[in-house]
Amino acid sequence: MEFKKLALQAAGKYAQIPNIEAVMLAGSVSRNWQDEFSDIELLLFWKQAPSEEERIQIIDQLDGKLLEFHPYEEEEWAETYTVDGVKFEISSFLTETIRQTIHQVIRKFDVNPDLQCIAAAVQHGIALYGDKTVKQLKKEIEHYPPGLQEEVINHYSDFGSRWNNRKALVHRKDWLMFYKVIVSVQTNIMGLLFGLNRQFISHPAFKWQRNSLALMEIKPGNCAARLESVFFQEPSEAIKELETLIEEIFGLIHHELPHIDLSDAARKAAFVRPKT
C-alpha cells in the first residue's frame, strides 16, 4: 500500500487552507517502519486555532469516513478518519505550541515522554507542505543536549520499590502484579537506553521497541531478543535476565558517562526484599 502517496494527496488538500503553515508526515510511515496494520499520521501546524469547519472540510473533500473528532485537549486538536479503508490519524497544533514544546525539551531538559515524542516526530517527520517552517523546527532539535541526557538517565534509573519484591511476587504466583512490574522495568530500561544514546523518546509507551533498539549504538548485546524473551521465559529466569540487563546498562552508563553517579540507583535496583 502506497501510504506516502496517500499522505501527499491529503497534504495537498490541507495546504489549501490559509491557516495551515505546515503539514508533516509522522509515525511509522515517516520512518519506513510501516506494516499492514499501520495508519497515516499527519501533524498539522496552524497559525491560529482551527475551526471545526476547517478540520471537517478536508475529510469531506477526501470522501473520508469520520471515526473520532476530539475537541481542543492538552494543546492539541485530533481527529481520525478513513479514506478507502486507510486510517488517517490527524494531530493539529499551533506552530507556536510546537516551538514552545521543543524549547521545553531542549532548553528546560523536560523528561516528559509526551513532549519528547513531539520533538522526535519533528526530528524524523517528513515535510509534505511548509518546508521553511519544518526546516526551522528541525534546526532547533539538531543537537540532543547533554543536560537532557543526564536528566533522562537520572529519571529512569529509579526502578521503584515493587521491583525489590520480584521474588516474593513469583513465590506467591501474583502474576498480574508481577507482569506489571516487568513492564515497568522494561519501560525504565528503554528510557535509560534512549537517554544513553541521546535519542528523543519516540512513543510514551515505547512502541516499536525492536526498531528503536536497532538504531541504538550503545546497548547490551542481543538486547532486543533478551527483552522480548523476558515475557516468554519461566518467571524466575525472566527476573535473572532483567537483573543482568540492568547491571549491564548501569555498567555502560558508567563507562560512557562516568560523571553521572548512579551507584545508589544501582544498589537499589539490585536489592531484593529478604524473607522474614
Side-chain angles (χ1 to χ4, degrees):
M1 186 173 294
E2 297 184 25
F3 288 108
K4 290 182 179 177
K5 182 178 179 181
L6 292 172
L8 276 168
Q9 291 174 354
K13 300 291 185 182
Y14 282 113
Q16 297 173 18
I17 300 177
N19 193 19
I20 289 182
E21 284 194 275
V23 179
M24 176 180 283
L25 177 64
S28 60
V29 179
S30 71
R31 306 188 72 167
N32 290 318
W33 291 353
Q34 69 271 15
D35 58 24
E36 62 270 30
F37 296 102
S38 294
D39 49 30
I40 295 173
E41 297 180 37
L42 296 181
L43 301 183
L44 310 183
F45 302 153
W46 299 76
K47 300 173 187 176
Q48 299 177 353
S51 65
E52 288 193 6
E53 289 74 21
E54 285 176 309
R55 295 169 61 195
I56 288 290
Q57 65 176 291
I58 304 304
I59 303 173
D60 293 337
Q61 291 177 22
L62 293 169
D63 294 324
K65 180 181 178 182
L66 183 64
L67 301 178
E68 295 178 321
F69 192 84
H70 299 284
Y72 183 65
E73 295 177 314
E74 298 181 357
E75 301 191 283
E76 176 185 3
W77 297 265
E79 58 263 18
T80 305
Y81 57 87
T82 59
V83 177
D84 295 330
V86 178
K87 188 169 77 166
F88 282 75
E89 295 275 358
I90 309 298
S91 294
S92 290
F93 300 90
L94 296 179
T95 307
E96 181 57 28
T97 297
I98 299 298
R99 291 196 178 98
Q100 291 174 3
T101 299
I102 290 173
H103 178 84
Q104 190 70 18
V105 172
I106 296 296
R107 304 297 179 190
K108 300 293 185 180
F109 308 147
D110 199 319
V111 301
N112 185 331
D114 291 316
L115 301 186
Q116 287 200 48
C117 286
I118 292 176
V122 172
Q123 183 180 48
H124 298 289
I126 298 172
L128 303 179
Y129 169 71
D131 285 358
K132 182 178 179 180
T133 297
V134 172
K135 284 180 181 178
Q136 289 173 343
L137 294 171
K138 283 181 176 289
K139 186 172 180 58
E140 295 181 31
I141 53 173
E142 281 181 338
H143 304 291
Y144 186 109
L148 177 61
Q149 180 183 44
E150 187 165 346
E151 288 294 325
V152 169
I153 287 174
N154 282 325
H155 176 75
Y156 284 103
S157 65
D158 183 359
F159 286 84
S161 59
R162 289 184 175 181
W163 170 240
N164 303 138
N165 294 329
R166 51 195 179 273
K167 290 190 177 180
L169 293 174
V170 172
H171 175 76
R172 296 167 180 165
K173 295 183 171 54
D174 210 343
W175 303 128
L176 179 58
M177 186 172 176
F178 174 77
Y179 282 105
K180 283 184 178 180
V181 170
I182 293 301
V183 170
S184 176
V185 168
Q186 287 224 25
T187 297
N188 278 50
I189 285 174
M190 291 301 297
L192 287 172
L193 290 173
F194 268 98
L196 180 58
N197 287 273
R198 298 177 71 172
Q199 295 179 10
F200 299 111
I201 294 171
S202 54
H203 192 278
F206 297 96
K207 183 181 178 182
W208 297 103
Q209 182 183 35
R210 186 183 300 182
N211 300 67
S212 298
L213 288 167
L215 297 176
M216 296 179 183
E217 294 183 2
I218 309 171
K219 60 194 173 187
N222 203 24
C223 188
R226 291 166 69 187
L227 286 170
E228 290 175 8
S229 73
V230 165
F231 292 102
F232 305 101
Q233 291 181 11
E234 193 275 328
S236 293
E237 294 302 313
I239 285 175
K240 291 178 183 178
E241 187 69 87
L242 285 176
E243 289 172 337
T244 303
L245 280 165
I246 292 169
E247 184 178 353
E248 290 177 18
I249 291 168
F250 277 130
L252 288 170
I253 294 170
H254 178 70
H255 180 267
E256 299 290 330
L257 305 163
H259 64 283
I260 300 179
D261 183 7
L262 295 179
S263 54
D264 285 343
R267 281 193 294 270
K268 290 177 181 177
F271 176 75
V272 178
R273 176 184 173 183
K275 297 179 180 179
T276 56

